[in-house]
Structure formats: C-alpha cells, structure tokens
Amino acid sequence: QVQLVESGGGLVQTGGSLRLSCAASKSISSIYAMGWYRQAPGKQRELVAAITSGGSTDYADFVKGRFTISRDNAKNTGYLQMNSLKPEDTAVYYCNAEVITLWRTQKYALWGQGTQVTVSS
C-alpha cells in the first residue's frame, strides 16, 4: 500500500500540547516536501506548516511560535509539535507529502486520512 498515516490527535485543554506523527508506508521510496494541513468544520482546508527535504520550514501566521514541524528521514516520518493549543486549533489535521513510490517514479502529492485534534475551552 501507499499510505501516510497520521496519529497523535486527541482531546486537550486550552494551553496544552500534542505531538502529531505522519508515518509513510514501506512502498514510499522517497519523501520530498512534507506539510501539515487542517480542516475545521465549515472551513476550507488550510496549510499549517511545511518542511522541505533540506529542513527549511514555513508556518502559517496563526501557528508561528506555537507549532514546530520536523521530520526523521530515516524513519520516513514527519511530526508536528503543537504547544499552547487554543480552541480555534480544533480541526482534523492531515499530513501531505510529495512522494516517490515503488510504482511511480515521478513525485506526486499524497494525503493521509487525518487525525482529530480537539481543544476544549
């Protein structure tokens, strides 16, 4: 299978922290740029943070200073450390990555199924 699987979501109080993980299946040979997106009820999916193969990062203004994106290339896993969570952070968080697989030699964007993050007020 070609899969990105998110984990680490859950329920947390305002000001709390969560660490999301995005694990790639073995059929994914290479991961280039990786990003985290979120979608709240009634809203469009939006970019939260992104990281390149070289480690350069980019963050949405609403998470700067609170969230940190990282990756472990040896494990084919990406992470999103979320601190100082606010109720407006409540959303389904999705991992997205530009990947090369065993069956496709041209990189393309792959989405995970998402993990729910709920921040109580």
Side-chain angles (χ1 to χ4, degrees):
Q1 307 94 305
V2 178
Q3 292 180 308
L4 296 174
V5 180
E6 302 96 334
S7 62
L11 175 64
V12 66
Q13 294 184 13
T14 297
S17 298
L18 287 172
R19 190 191 191 211
L20 306 183
S21 297
C22 174
S25 61
K26 290 290 187 179
S27 60
I28 295 175
S29 303
S30 303
I31 301 177
Y32 295 87
M34 175 177 286
W36 287 93
Y37 293 72
R38 71 186 188 188
Q39 187 166 21
K43 298 185 66 177
Q44 296 292 109
R45 188 171 299 188
E46 60 186 353
L47 176 67
V48 176
I51 186 168
T52 68
S53 297
S56 297
T57 59
D58 188 28
Y59 297 93
D61 287 340
F62 53 82
V63 302
K64 286 181 178 178
R66 299 190 297 124
F67 292 7
T68 302
I69 188 170
S70 62
R71 62 193 295 165
D72 186 335
N73 292 330
K75 296 181 178 180
N76 267 5
T77 302
Y79 305 94
L80 183 68
Q81 178 66 47
M82 305 186 294
N83 299 324
S84 302
L85 284 162
K86 302 182 290 185
E88 48 263 51
D89 295 319
T90 296
V92 177
Y93 284 71
Y94 298 90
C95 180
N96 175 265
E98 297 176 331
V99 304
I100 297 292
T101 71
L102 296 177
W103 303 285
R104 294 180 63 175
T105 58
Q106 182 66 42
K107 67 179 181 180
Y108 68 100
L110 180 67
W111 289 93
Q113 294 300 304
T115 184
Q116 177 70 48
V117 171
T118 302
V119 185
S120 62
S121 59

